[in-house]
């Protein structure tokens, strides 16, 4: 049985998507090690990583310091341009409305996400910011991809936080575990 050119191209794209999503998982792990919600992102053009990011809201005390926003900023610096035409954003969790807006404004052409976000997912799970958007930009969305791995990292992180809260009664531990419905 011969594999058609389309099937071969699809298999190659799936392998690339998994490779870059694994790199985004590595970014998420860096965030987890720093006590941040483990969401990671890489931004790629023509097989080259232009930007990386992981959540840094706690460290930077900045509600906009999401993995996607930081990766977009790094890619813009790398290209010396705010227009990211032809780029693909790989992120471990479906982007929120703010990040979906940044994706639109930066002209990213494709998004691959790992796990759905049933609470704030803006690429179809809760909202669909990119579809039929008012600025008429088409963005290809593929996901969930590697959902089990991406979701597992988040669940492990929050399970550990909740266990710490129970183990140390009276100690104030950030309530970020209560902020996410994963």
């Amino acid at each position: 049985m011969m594999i058609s050119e389309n099937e071969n191209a699809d298999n190659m794209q799936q392998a690339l998507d998994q490779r870059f999503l694994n790199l985004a998982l590595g970014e998420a792990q860096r965030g987890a090690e720093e006590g941040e919600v483990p969401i990671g992102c890489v931004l790629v053009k023509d097989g080259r990583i232009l930007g990386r990011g992981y959540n840094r809201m706690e460290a930077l005390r900045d509600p906009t310091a999401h993995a996607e926003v930081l990766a977009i900023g790094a890619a813009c610096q790398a290209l010396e341009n705010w227009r990211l035409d032809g780029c693909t954003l790989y992120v471990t969790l479906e982007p929120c409305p703010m990040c979906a807006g940044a994706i639109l404004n930066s002209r990213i052409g494709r998004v691959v996400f790992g796990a759905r976000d049933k609470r704030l997912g803006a690429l179809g799970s809760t909202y669909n910011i990119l579809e039929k958007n008012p600025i008429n930009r088409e963005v290809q969305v593929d996901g969930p991809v590697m959902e089990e791995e991406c979701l597992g990292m988040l669940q492990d992180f929050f399970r550990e936080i909740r266990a710490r809260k129970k183990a140390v009664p009276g100690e104030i531990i950030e309530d970020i575990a209560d902020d996410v419905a994963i």
Side-chain angles (χ1 to χ4, degrees):
M1 182 168 122
M2 289 185 49
I3 297 176
S4 73
E5 282 185 42
N6 284 343
E7 286 176 308
N8 195 29
D10 286 346
N11 290 340
M12 287 176 55
Q13 187 60 60
Q14 284 178 342
L16 276 175
D17 289 349
Q18 288 181 349
R19 175 179 168 233
F20 289 121
L21 206 46
N22 271 315
L23 292 172
L25 275 166
E27 292 296 311
Q29 183 61 43
R30 287 181 64 192
E33 290 166 3
E34 294 179 20
E36 300 280 354
V37 175
I39 300 170
C41 183
V42 295
L43 212 143
V44 177
K45 184 171 185 173
D46 300 327
R48 183 175 147 232
I49 295 174
L50 299 175
R52 298 171 181 264
Y54 56 91
N55 274 10
R56 309 251 357 254
M57 289 174 37
E58 301 298 327
L60 299 177
R61 293 181 166 84
D62 179 353
T64 68
H66 288 201
E68 301 94 322
V69 170
L70 298 174
I72 288 169
C76 290
Q77 293 301 308
L79 290 177
E80 297 181 352
N81 193 340
W82 62 269
R83 293 172 187 88
L84 299 176
D85 297 298
C87 290
T88 299
L89 183 137
Y90 294 89
V91 63
T92 58
L93 184 67
E94 180 181 2
C96 71
M98 176 186 71
C99 293
I103 289 164
L104 277 177
N105 286 332
S106 61
R107 301 181 179 183
I108 290 169
R110 181 171 180 244
V111 176
V112 178
F113 69 88
R116 290 181 177 92
D117 183 346
K118 296 174 186 167
R119 190 174 65 103
L120 288 173
L123 305 188
S125 292
T126 305
Y127 311 100
N128 203 335
I129 305 276
L130 302 183
E131 187 177 283
K132 298 179 185 169
N133 63 75
I135 52 180
N136 294 319
R137 289 218 176 91
E138 284 191 38
V139 181
Q140 179 183 338
V141 176
D142 294 307
V145 174
M146 297 175 53
E147 186 167 34
E148 190 174 304
E149 296 93 324
C150 295
L151 191 56
M153 182 178 285
L154 284 160
Q155 289 170 332
D156 291 347
F157 176 80
F158 288 114
R159 195 174 298 120
E160 184 178 312
I161 287 177
R162 288 183 182 107
R164 279 195 343 222
K165 282 175 74 172
K166 286 181 184 176
V168 188
E171 184 177 330
I172 298 173
I173 296 177
E174 290 294 320
D175 259 349
I176 59 175
D178 298 328
D179 290 345
V180 178
I182 304 255

